[in-house]
Amino acid sequence: MDQDLAIPDSRTEVRPRAPIMARVGVDYGLLPELAGVSVKLVWVYAHGLLTREINDPGITPLRYSLLEVVGQNPGLQQVQLAEALALTRPGTSVALDFWEDRGCIERRKLATDRRSFGIFATSLGMRELERLRAVVRQADAALMSSLTEDEASQFRQLLKKIHL
Amino acid sequence: MDQDLAIPDSRTEVRPRAPIMARVGVDYGLLPELAGVSVKLVWVYAHGLLTREINDPGITPLRYSLLEVVGQNPGLQQVQLAEALALTRPGTSVALDFWEDRGCIERRKLATDRRSFGIFATSLGMRELERLRAVVRQADAALMSSLTEDEASQFRQLLKKIHL
DNA sequence: TATTGTTATACTCTATAACTATA
DNA sequence: TATAGTTATAGAGTATAACAATA
């Protein structure tokens, strides 16, 4: 697999469609001053890195997040998963179908309320989750690779100060 | 307009669908450690803030960016605009149609190459751009409102170090 | 009557393909 | 033959609406 060491010079390939804003002859006006614009560019970059590192068109970052929460919280109902990840109920259904088709999760009928299920990761699902965690950690490290350790930890703190 | 002073406590209304990750009883596992996850949450927050501040469903952040570049670079061709903003040519066409319908830009036939146009902001377009700049600056300030001045400037620097 | 989950449907973005008019 | 721009079309992703089963 040639993606394992593809951290250093791969930024241009990995950024599929994002403006560069260091282009000769184009004046971006206010845009480079806006934090929001930089946030978007970083997000596009991060999403591209992760998508490439995962290397499986079916597994989106969001679907990985779902598997992560299922693995960490065995037996949650679909409504609870939907709320935890800010998904709609139909979206949750479809995403769980995806993981169920891959044998990674199972829906177990609840004895107490036969309308709903408890969602559990299978042992295959737990192995898949472990595999994805390594991949995701690597993509996140690649995202931070232009920062020092101190800068990266500052960056994480500042991000949380904004969204928490 | 009640949105003018809606900076302080409006975060929950402004964040339409983003997980909170400080929920009791749900373990998010690896997710809170990932910078990429925080970047996405901040982006969703920023997009929501800006969309609400603009308060016009037609004017997306991307369309504002286009008007900004047109205003700063009179006479660019559509292919150049497309490249500068990493848009497809069809996407550029449609976005320019939007601003042309609003009387904000005009396509002027080039004498040198009758296939293409020079794109210019009209005087109405320049006024609209000025109006939007104020709105966008305000949304960006709101995005940074939980940070001190120093933190905000650090944050901008770190973002650029990642995406530039 | 309200809730869980599913299916059907629609809407937005964005991407590609096909077309025109020029070069 | 290649390029600028447009129009048509198709694919994700995500939203709502309608439905079936159960409470």
Side-chain angles (χ1 to χ4, degrees), chain A residues 17 77-79 90 93 107 115-117:
Chain A
R17 319 205 107 261
Q77 297 181 21
Q78 294 189 201
V79 273
S93 258
R107 294 164 155 106
R115 291 173 301 183
S116 58
F117 309 94

Side-chain angles (χ1 to χ4, degrees), chain B residues 12-30:
Chain B
T12 50
E13 326 165 9
V14 167
R15 264 191 300 198
R17 315 204 108 261
I20 307 297
M21 295 211 309
R23 183 178 308 279
V24 288
V26 175
D27 181 350
Y28 286 91
L30 183 59

Side-chain angles (χ1 to χ4, degrees), chain B residues 139-159:
Chain B
D140 215 60
L143 178 63
M144 299 285 90
S145 63
S146 60
L147 305 185
T148 66
E149 280 298 317
D150 275 2
E151 288 173 329
S153 105
Q154 269 180 11
F155 184 61
R156 291 173 209 270
Q157 267 188 291
L158 293 171
L159 285 166

Side-chain angles (χ1 to χ4, degrees), chain A residues 20 33 36 67 88 130 146:
Chain A
I20 306 297
E33 296 172 35
L67 187 60
T88 59
E130 278 309 324
S146 61

Side-chain angles (χ1 to χ4, degrees), chain A residues 129-145:
Chain A
L129 180 53
E130 278 309 324
R131 185 186 74 80
L132 285 171
R133 277 180 181 147
V135 167
V136 162
R137 278 188 211 274
Q138 182 162 348
D140 216 60
L143 178 63
M144 300 284 92
S145 64

